[in-house]
């Protein structure tokens, strides 16, 4: 077990010995913001003291009297209003590096209390091209799934595809009256998009077209054979497009249950909510009204329209119920843009009311209230992980020069093309195939990283020059840092002693000696990899990992420039090669968690 985890367990035990009724799950160790105060810090005692109206420094003193972490730390210090600061002993630091070098861990331990998380992300629409607006949900959701899985949790990914709704009435008219079979074969998404635009424009000019579209939709909803056949073909053709783009991005889903999957559940759901007094009639429609939270008092959630139709709220409630009964998750995470914040506040609040009134499904309540009797697990958590917009360099929504929405396939093509030019300019001696593969990895990695690096709730400016730069906080910079380390081993006489997977040198039995300040700084940063992954999982913010990796690359550069490796004395050389190897492994693992590949040469 890693030193910080050992310290954390000891601290929790000391808190329990001091305050037997305390919730020690909140007693955590985190990296110290300022290294001059220590390596790790805990501020949990202040909140425990506040809730008990105690003096926090006195509580810290009492806990410290029962705390024995001498195996890993120098003397623990109390700071400020009750912070505890911990500084690692050299032996604890080198010991953690040694076990990592032997392959026992990579500075994180898989959880001993795995939870089940359902992640809903991407959600493209049938018969429409995936566009730049889908990239944030897709990449953010994938990175969260990768992080949780890496930490040992059970993750179920579900792509809630838009395969139902009023647009299909218009599409059915277009398909029956205006379809160009050759165009459909050549580019099915473009042809379906053309058909929709054609009928939509006609409908704006002629009410009869809209009525005809409504009738086609009614036939589809009634299960008319011809309309069902066309609809299924639209879905199959769209799925091919989705699969192609997801394969390029390295994104996989466990399920792709579209909106239509939940249709049989919608009427019974509304009837149940009305019967339980959760929903009621209002002006011919059925809605859920909220007393709490205050911001929803004037924002009722419509679940059946006055014409008898259902909407996204109805479908999302049915989806939640299905996920609960099918997978019994501890957490459901929705990754969408920030414009849907009100919608998910309504859905989550309505769902909690429904469950609290006695749903026949598994009894675990939403993210408020207490678990049902006999269920020792915490209540299910519902999280809306929302994000901002992608802007062009003019500060407006990112569009093509003609003002059209940027298609995702075109964006990825351009990323690879731009990266290919850069690689070809820098490495003209490589074969065209080698340059294309490097360009694929670098181009796609640059797009992903540029999306994950900002605070997800902020808008960000899309800039090809910045994201493809080999300097600064970019994917190419980190990928290049990885290749620089690998080149050290290619130049060294221990290259032949690499393991079969190329990940660890044979000098794992080397006694590590960290004498230079740069070595110590690099080593301590490596130890924080697992804590960073945990922070990403807790707060749904992959930008924490981006910044950690950027700092890691910077600390490695400082180490390499100040601490000779291959020209050092053999004992020192082997110790420093272990540091090099561990840095490369963490860089690769961290980028993999972000969904970004590496290459051995750039």
């Amino acid at each position: 077990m890693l030193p910080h985890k050992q310290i954390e367990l000891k601290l929790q035990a000391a808190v329990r010995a001091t305050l037997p009724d305390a919730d020690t799950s909140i007693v955590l160790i985190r990296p110290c913001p300022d290294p001059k105060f220590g390596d790790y810090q805990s501020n949990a005692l202040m909140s425990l003291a506040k809730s008990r109206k105690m003096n926090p420094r006195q509580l810290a003193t009492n806990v410290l009297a029962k705390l024995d972490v001498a195996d890993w730390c120098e003397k623990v210090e109390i700071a400020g209003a009750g912070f505890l600061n911990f500084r690692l002993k050299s032996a604890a630091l080198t010991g953690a590096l040694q076990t990592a070098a032997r392959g026992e861990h990579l500075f994180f331990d898989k959880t001993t209390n795995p939870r089940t998380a359902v992640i809903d992300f991407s959600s493209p629409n049938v018969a429409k091209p995936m566009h730049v607006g889908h990239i944030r949900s897709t990449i953010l959701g994938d990175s969260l799934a990768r992080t949780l899985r890496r930490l040992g949790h059970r993750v179920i990914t579900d792509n809630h595809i838009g395969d139902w709704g009023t647009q299909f009435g218009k599409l059915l008219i277009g398909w029956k009256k205006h379809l160009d079979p050759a165009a459909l074969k050549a580019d099915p998404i473009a042809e379906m998009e053309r058909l929709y635009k054609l009928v939509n424009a006609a409908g704006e000019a002629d009410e009869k077209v809209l009525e005809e579209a409504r009738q086609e939709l009614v036939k589809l909803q009634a299960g008319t054979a011809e309309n069902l056949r066309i609809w299924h073909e639209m879905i199959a053709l769209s799925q091919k497009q989705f699969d192609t783009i997801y394969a390029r991005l390295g994104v996989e889903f466990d399920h792709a249950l579209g909106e239509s999957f939940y249709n049989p559940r919608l009427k019974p759901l509304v009837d149940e909510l009305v019967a339980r007094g959760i929903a009621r009639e209002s002006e011919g429609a059925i809605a859920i009204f909220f007393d709490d939270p205050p911001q929803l008092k004037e924002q009722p959630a419509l679940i059946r329209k006055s014409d008898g139709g259902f909407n996204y709220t109805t479908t999302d409630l049915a989806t939640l119920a299905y996920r609960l009964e099918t997978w019994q998750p501890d957490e459901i995470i929705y990754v969408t843009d920030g414009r849907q914040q009100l919608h998910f506040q309504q859905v989550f609040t309505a769902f909690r009311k429904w469950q609290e009134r006695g749903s026949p499904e598994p009894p675990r309540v939403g993210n408020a209230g207490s678990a049902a009797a006999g269920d020792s697990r915490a209540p299910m958590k519902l999280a809306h992980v929302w994000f901002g917009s992608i802007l062009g360099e003019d500060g407006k929504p990112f569009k093509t020069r003609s003002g059209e929405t940027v298609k995702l396939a075109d964006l990825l093509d351009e990323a690879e093309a731009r990266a290919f030019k850069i690689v070809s300019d820098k490495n003209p001696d490589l074969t065209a195939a080698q340059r294309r593969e490097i360009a694929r990895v670098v181009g796609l990695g640059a797009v992903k990283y540029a999306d994950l690096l900002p605070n997800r709730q902020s808008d960000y400016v899309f800039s090809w020059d910045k994201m493809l730069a080999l300097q600064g906080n970019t994917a190419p910079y980190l990928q290049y840092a990885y290749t620089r380390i690998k080149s050290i081993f290619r130049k060294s006489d221990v290259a032949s002693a690499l393991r079969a997977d190329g990940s660890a040198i044979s000098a794992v039995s080397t006694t590590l000696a960290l004498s230079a300040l740069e070595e110590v700084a690099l080593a301590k940063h490596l130890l924080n990899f697992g804590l960073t992954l945990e922070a990403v999982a807790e707060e749904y913010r992959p930008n924490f990992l981006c910044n950690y990796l950027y700092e890691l690359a910077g600390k490695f550069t400082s180490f390499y420039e100040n601490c000779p490796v291959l020209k050092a004395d053999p004992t020192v050389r082997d110790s420093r090669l272990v540091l090099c190897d561990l840095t490369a492994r963490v860089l690769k693992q961290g980028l993999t968690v972000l969904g970004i590949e590496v290459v051995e040469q750039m």
Side-chain angles (χ1 to χ4, degrees):
M1 189 179 292
L2 291 162
H4 69 268
K5 285 295 183 186
Q6 300 274 18
I7 298 167
E8 190 171 85
L9 289 174
K10 289 285 188 179
L11 179 59
Q12 290 172 350
V15 171
R16 282 194 297 271
T18 308
L19 300 174
D21 65 331
D23 175 11
T24 56
S25 66
I26 67 169
V27 179
L28 304 173
I29 298 293
R30 291 292 179 259
C32 201
D34 190 336
K36 73 181 181 183
F37 296 121
D39 300 315
Y40 299 103
Q41 186 179 84
S42 179
N43 62 4
L45 300 185
M46 291 187 291
S47 61
L48 290 173
K50 183 178 180 181
S51 64
R52 290 164 173 78
K53 297 182 179 179
M54 298 173 64
N55 182 306
R57 283 189 70 93
Q58 184 59 54
L59 176 59
T61 301
N62 297 343
V63 169
L64 203 54
K66 299 179 184 297
L67 179 64
D68 180 11
V69 289
D71 287 347
W72 306 282
C73 294
E74 308 291 351
K75 183 181 177 182
V76 182
E77 297 176 350
I78 302 173
F83 290 93
L84 292 181
N85 290 334
F86 305 86
R87 194 178 301 278
L88 284 180
K89 287 182 174 179
S90 296
L93 178 60
T94 55
L97 295 174
Q98 199 74 63
T99 51
R102 290 198 296 267
E104 295 178 23
H105 60 80
L106 194 58
F107 308 110
F108 65 92
D109 297 309
K110 289 200 172 184
T111 181
T112 56
N113 186 28
R115 66 183 189 269
T116 297
V118 175
I119 307 182
D120 177 325
F121 65 101
S122 195
S123 304
N125 293 310
V126 164
K128 294 182 180 179
M130 289 184 72
H131 55 78
V132 69
H134 291 107
I135 200 164
R136 297 209 78 177
S137 175
T138 304
I139 291 172
L140 178 57
D142 180 57
S143 67
L144 293 176
R146 288 168 180 264
T147 302
L148 287 166
R149 284 185 175 129
R150 188 66 60 190
L151 292 171
H153 299 290
R154 178 188 179 221
V155 176
I156 299 161
T157 53
D158 188 5
N159 194 359
H160 192 71
I161 291 171
D163 65 354
W164 201 247
T166 57
Q167 73 271 24
F168 284 98
K170 297 175 182 178
L171 281 163
L172 284 163
I173 293 176
W175 189 286
K176 290 179 178 181
K177 292 187 174 182
H178 308 291
L179 182 68
D180 181 340
L184 185 72
K185 185 176 181 180
D187 190 341
I189 301 299
E191 175 61 5
M192 287 189 283
E193 188 179 27
R194 182 187 72 84
L195 295 176
Y196 177 78
K197 288 180 177 179
L198 182 69
V199 177
N200 192 54
E204 291 178 355
D206 188 349
E207 179 64 30
K208 291 180 181 178
V209 176
L210 292 180
E211 179 56 33
E212 188 178 358
R214 281 192 284 269
Q215 293 303 316
E216 291 292 348
L217 182 62
V218 169
K219 291 179 187 176
L220 174 63
Q221 292 170 336
T224 304
E226 182 185 15
N227 284 18
L228 276 176
R229 177 190 61 77
I230 296 171
W231 176 69
H232 281 299
E233 188 170 352
M234 290 178 184
I235 292 173
L237 291 170
S238 298
Q239 191 63 52
K240 286 184 180 178
Q241 177 218 203
F242 303 156
D243 290 345
T244 298
I245 289 179
Y246 292 140
R248 289 183 73 177
L249 292 172
V251 174
E252 298 179 354
F253 292 92
D254 299 308
H255 303 276
L257 302 177
E259 293 170 13
S260 64
F261 178 82
Y262 302 98
N263 282 340
R265 292 173 165 261
L266 303 186
K267 184 180 183 303
L269 181 148
V270 172
D271 291 344
E272 181 182 341
L273 293 176
V274 171
R276 290 189 181 167
I278 297 167
R280 59 181 170 85
E281 189 271 339
S282 177
E283 299 180 12
I286 302 293
I288 300 171
F289 291 82
F290 306 103
D291 294 324
D292 190 62
Q295 65 266 28
L296 293 185
K297 282 189 176 182
E298 303 299 323
Q299 300 284 353
L302 191 69
I303 58 172
R304 192 176 74 197
K305 294 181 282 188
S306 57
D307 64 3
F310 305 107
N311 60 11
Y312 288 129
T313 302
T314 329
T315 302
D316 280 341
L317 286 169
T319 304
L320 261 172
Y322 174 83
R323 288 168 174 166
L324 181 60
E325 68 184 70
T326 305
W327 297 312
Q328 298 186 32
D330 302 286
E331 179 176 24
I332 303 179
I333 302 165
Y334 293 82
V335 186
T336 78
D337 70 67
R339 291 171 296 178
Q340 297 189 44
Q341 288 179 78
L342 173 61
H343 169 74
F344 281 106
Q345 286 175 13
Q346 292 176 322
V347 169
F348 293 173
T349 306
F351 186 72
R352 287 196 295 271
K353 289 180 68 172
W354 182 23
Q355 296 297 297
E356 288 163 2
R357 297 279 179 97
S359 168
E361 309 305 345
R364 295 169 61 228
V365 184
N367 60 350
S370 58
D375 189 345
S376 61
R377 293 182 297 168
M380 183 178 71
K381 181 180 180 182
L382 298 172
H384 180 210
V385 176
W386 61 272
F387 50 83
S389 301
I390 303 176
L391 306 178
E393 296 196 65
D394 58 359
K396 298 177 181 179
F398 187 46
K399 303 277 187 180
T400 64
R401 289 182 179 176
S402 61
E404 297 290 318
T405 300
V406 179
K407 294 179 181 178
L408 188 48
D410 294 341
L411 181 78
L412 301 182
D413 288 344
E414 185 167 357
E416 292 188 31
R418 286 173 176 263
F420 183 76
K421 183 178 185 306
I422 293 170
V423 172
S424 297
D425 289 344
K426 292 185 175 294
N427 297 285
D429 296 336
L430 296 176
T431 67
Q434 288 174 315
R435 283 180 277 132
R436 274 194 297 273
E437 175 59 11
I438 294 171
R440 181 190 69 80
V441 172
V442 171
L444 297 182
V447 170
K448 288 187 175 188
Y449 193 86
D451 197 83
L452 294 171
L453 175 61
N455 176 338
R456 59 173 167 79
Q457 293 171 337
S458 301
D459 298 340
Y460 80 91
V461 174
F462 192 96
S463 167
W464 286 115
D465 292 339
K466 287 182 180 177
M467 71 174 59
L468 287 166
L470 283 170
Q471 298 81 34
N473 197 350
T474 67
Y477 170 72
L478 297 178
Q479 290 165 322
Y480 182 64
Y482 175 80
T483 65
R484 282 182 64 199
I485 300 173
K486 301 305 285 187
S487 72
I488 295 170
F489 290 97
R490 286 194 296 272
K491 295 172 185 175
S492 74
D493 58 5
V494 298
S496 60
L498 288 171
R499 288 181 177 173
D501 64 1
S503 65
I505 63 171
S506 61
V508 292
S509 60
T510 300
T511 300
L512 295 180
L514 305 177
S515 55
L517 292 177
E518 293 82 4
E519 290 177 298
V520 174
L522 176 59
K524 287 183 175 180
H525 196 69
L526 287 168
L527 256 64
N528 290 337
F529 181 46
L531 285 171
T532 304
L533 293 179
E534 290 173 11
V536 171
E538 288 165 9
E539 300 192 37
Y540 316 114
R541 295 188 185 276
N543 60 303
F544 292 167
L545 180 55
C546 295
N547 288 320
Y548 169 85
L549 295 174
Y550 178 60
E551 290 174 19
L552 177 63
K555 290 182 185 299
F556 178 80
T557 297
S558 179
F559 154 76
Y560 190 66
E561 289 175 349
N562 291 281
C563 304
V565 177
L566 297 181
K567 294 182 179 180
D569 174 88
T571 301
V572 175
R573 181 203 66 176
D574 288 350
S575 178
R576 289 176 177 172
L577 282 171
V578 170
L579 270 180
C580 292
D581 176 62
L582 291 172
T583 303
R585 288 163 60 190
V586 169
L587 277 172
K588 183 176 182 179
Q589 183 77 270
L591 288 169
T592 299
V593 168
L594 296 174
I596 296 172
E597 298 174 69
V598 295
V599 289
E600 299 296 304
Q601 287 180 275
M602 277 177 66

